[in-house]
């Protein structure tokens, strides 16, 4: 019996969490789900969208399946997703982007795995409010040390990139590439402009690549976006700092059929949290319109992670079969004759053998 934290989230979170849970249970793997609430409603009650009990549960169980959580807008709330990744040191965000056979709105043959650094960069949460005393001091300091003038009404965000964090994400990408017979690793930065932060990431990636046999190249992030749209089949494993990883993940999700089918994992040395690339999609919440696939495929990644490889494969094959048949799909994949979340989930469960 595996004990796993299930975070319900909000928006479409509870709907897709329930779908994934039903699919995992249908594989026959014995799981004792430790169900945890988080997000906007919890924040109204407890004053924090990510209360300590959620983190404690993951620390105890080591593995979580997490539905999307909305970060309340406004001052004082940092993204729940970012906090989780930083507090549990889930340094590698792994996002496989593979076209499932039969999808009409996808580029055939894409098979890219994204390794996004998860703990630093502009996501580190070091931000200075426009007009505050600290911001004034920072602007003065920058003027004194760099001779650069920043307008006094500016807000400022800091972008830290360390050798340590760059090295461990690039090592993870190479380890994955080698253990899964991938062809190439590509490092992605904007090192021609951010010569220090991105320059360091690029330098470290090149050094790590020397320790491995698998081919390595480097592409600037703007060129990568163009090349991905023109010919995504030339890419294999991509390793990127946090912000570019976020943006390129959505681009790749778009190439392979949209956010509704893009799974992901956040992995550290001690803990792992599996979650879809998409957010809580408040526009379609509570209507039964959400595509459960991204969350179900994230659950399949989770099954692999806990050693239930067979069950993970069964679940993936079931999803692929439902998609290639093209009959029971939610409206993001089949706008002309869509089915509801529950029906697509039931169809996936029917195909689990
Ligand atoms: P958040 O603020 O939590 O990131 P968001 O609405 O800004 O939420 P996403 O939730 O990532 O961003 O989704 C963007 C859009 O993609 C949604 O508005 C929705 O229309 C669509 N979408 C996302 N996930 C799904 C899904 N599982 N099924 C169908 N459509 C989806």
């Amino acid at each position: 019996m595996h004990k796993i934290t299930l975070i319900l989230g909000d928006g479409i979170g509870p709907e897709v969490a329930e779908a994934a849970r039903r699919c995992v249970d249908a594989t026959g793997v014995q799981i004792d789900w430790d169900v945890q609430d988080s997000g906007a409603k919890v924040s109204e009650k407890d004053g924090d969208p990510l209360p300590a009990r959620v983190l404690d549960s993951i620390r105890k169980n080591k593995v979580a399946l997490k539905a999307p959580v909305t970060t309340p807008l406004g001052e004082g709330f940092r993204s729940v997703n970012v906090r989780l990744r930083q507090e549990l040191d889930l340094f590698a965000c792994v996002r496989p982007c593979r076209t499932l056979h039969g999808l009409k709105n996808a580029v055939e043959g894409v098979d890219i795995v994204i390794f996004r650094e998860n703990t630093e960069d502009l996501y580190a949460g070091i931000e200075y409010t426009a007009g505050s005393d600290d911001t004034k001091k920072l602007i003065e300091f920058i003027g004194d040390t760099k001779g650069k003038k920043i307008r006094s009404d500016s807000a400022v965000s800091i972008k830290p990139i360390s050798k340590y964090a760059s090295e461990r994400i690039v090592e993870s990408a190479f380890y994955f590439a080698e253990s899964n017979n991938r062809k190439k690793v590509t490092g992605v930065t904007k090192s021609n402009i951010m010569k220090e932060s991105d320059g360091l990431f690029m330098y470290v990636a090149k050094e790590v690549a020397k320790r491995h046999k698998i081919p390595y190249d480097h592409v600037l992030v703007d060129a990568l976006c163009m090349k991905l749209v023109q010919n995504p089949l030339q890419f294999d494993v991509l390793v990127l700092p946090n912000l570019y990883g976020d943006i390129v993940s959505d681009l790749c999700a778009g190439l392979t059929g949209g956010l509704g089918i893009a799974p992901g994992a956040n992995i550290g040395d001690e803990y792992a949290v599996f979650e879809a690339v998409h957010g809580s999609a408040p526009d379609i919440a509570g209507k039964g319109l959400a595509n459960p696939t991204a969350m179900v495929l994230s659950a399949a990644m989770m099954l692999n992670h806990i050693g239930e490889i067979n069950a993970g494969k069964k679940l993936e094959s079931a999803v692929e079969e439902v998609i290639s048949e093209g009959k029971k799909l939610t409206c993001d994949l089949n706008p002309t004759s869509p089915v509801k979340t529950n029906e697509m989930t039931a169809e996936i469960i029917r195909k689990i053998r």
Side-chain angles (χ1 to χ4, degrees):
M1 173 80 82
H2 304 273
K3 186 142 192 188
I4 287 176
T5 304
L6 178 68
I7 301 175
L8 299 181
D10 40 26
I12 57 170
E15 300 164 63
V16 292
E18 179 56 22
R21 174 190 178 147
R22 284 173 55 206
C23 289
V24 170
D25 289 345
T27 65
V29 173
Q30 295 297 304
I31 293 192
D32 177 8
W33 298 100
D34 180 359
V35 179
Q36 296 288 336
D37 259 330
S38 69
K41 281 205 195 94
V42 174
S43 151
E44 277 166 30
K45 209 167 73 204
D46 300 350
D48 184 355
L50 182 65
R53 61 181 160 72
V54 181
L55 284 165
D56 290 346
S57 164
I58 304 173
R59 286 200 177 98
K60 197 167 77 213
N61 300 325
K62 312 276 187 217
V63 178
L65 180 61
K66 174 186 161 294
V69 176
T70 310
T71 300
L73 288 175
E75 278 176 32
F77 286 112
R78 283 190 53 216
S79 158
V80 168
N81 308 313
V82 174
R83 266 176 68 197
L84 254 184
R85 292 166 195 166
Q86 288 176 347
E87 296 207 25
L88 300 174
D89 200 23
L90 305 170
F91 64 87
C93 177
V94 185
R95 290 173 166 176
C97 310
R98 187 165 65 88
T99 308
L100 302 175
H101 180 67
L103 274 184
K104 291 187 193 76
N105 59 345
V107 180
E108 195 59 52
V110 177
D111 184 5
I112 293 170
V113 181
I114 292 177
F115 275 73
R116 164 188 175 191
E117 202 290 320
N118 233 355
T119 60
E120 45 183 36
D121 193 351
L122 285 162
Y123 277 73
I126 310 164
E127 299 213 283
Y128 289 84
T129 312
S132 75
D133 287 347
D134 283 348
T135 311
K136 274 186 209 140
K137 276 188 225 152
L138 182 66
I139 289 175
E140 265 169 39
F141 175 76
I142 291 169
D144 292 346
T145 54
K146 290 278 172 195
K148 304 256 184 203
K149 187 165 167 39
I150 296 179
R151 287 182 213 283
S152 60
D153 58 351
S154 300
V156 180
S157 303
I158 304 285
K159 171 175 165 139
I161 294 214
S162 68
K163 185 164 180 278
Y164 173 81
S166 305
E167 190 162 350
R168 66 180 177 172
I169 188 68
V170 180
E171 271 295 354
S172 306
F174 272 97
Y175 177 77
F176 169 87
E178 282 169 349
S179 356
N180 290 278
N181 292 319
R182 308 292 300 206
K183 289 186 224 62
K184 182 175 73 164
V185 175
T186 301
V188 183
T189 69
K190 186 74 182 164
S191 55
N192 56 337
I193 302 298
M194 275 152 284
K195 294 186 198 306
E196 299 304 332
S197 50
D198 282 19
L200 181 64
F201 190 97
M202 185 184 75
Y203 169 77
V204 169
K206 207 164 134 196
E207 291 303 302
V208 171
K210 288 182 191 161
R211 307 202 280 261
H212 296 271
K213 289 201 181 73
I214 201 152
Y216 170 78
D217 62 3
H218 171 263
V219 183
L220 292 170
V221 65
D222 43 351
L224 174 83
C225 291
M226 183 195 64
K227 289 176 184 201
L228 276 171
V229 172
Q230 285 184 327
N231 175 18
L233 273 56
Q234 64 188 297
F235 295 106
D236 194 323
V237 175
L238 301 177
V239 59
L240 318 87
N242 207 338
L243 180 65
Y244 309 140
D246 180 46
I247 298 166
V248 170
S249 294
D250 272 26
L251 200 170
C252 289
L255 292 172
T256 50
L259 283 172
I261 59 157
N266 299 292
I267 306 204
D269 288 331
E270 280 191 81
Y271 313 108
V273 175
F274 295 82
E275 63 177 338
V277 173
H278 64 72
S280 58
D283 55 332
I284 55 167
K287 297 177 182 160
L289 300 177
N291 186 339
T293 305
M295 191 69 182
V296 172
L297 289 177
S298 304
M301 290 174 79
M302 180 199 79
L303 287 169
N304 286 333
H305 178 85
I306 61 173
E308 298 286 356
I309 315 279
N310 224 350
K313 278 201 189 112
K314 277 202 261 182
L315 197 47
E316 253 180 57
S317 308
V319 168
E320 283 181 33
E321 216 179 311
V322 172
I323 287 188
S324 78
E325 283 181 6
K327 289 185 208 135
K328 303 262 176 171
L329 304 178
T330 45
C331 67
D332 55 320
L333 299 183
N334 184 2
T336 45
S337 54
V339 301
K340 293 279 176 101
T341 312
N342 280 344
E343 275 177 85
M344 184 166 174
T345 307
E347 188 65 6
I348 295 170
I349 291 171
R350 252 195 297 280
K351 303 283 187 198
I352 296 174
R353 290 186 263 274

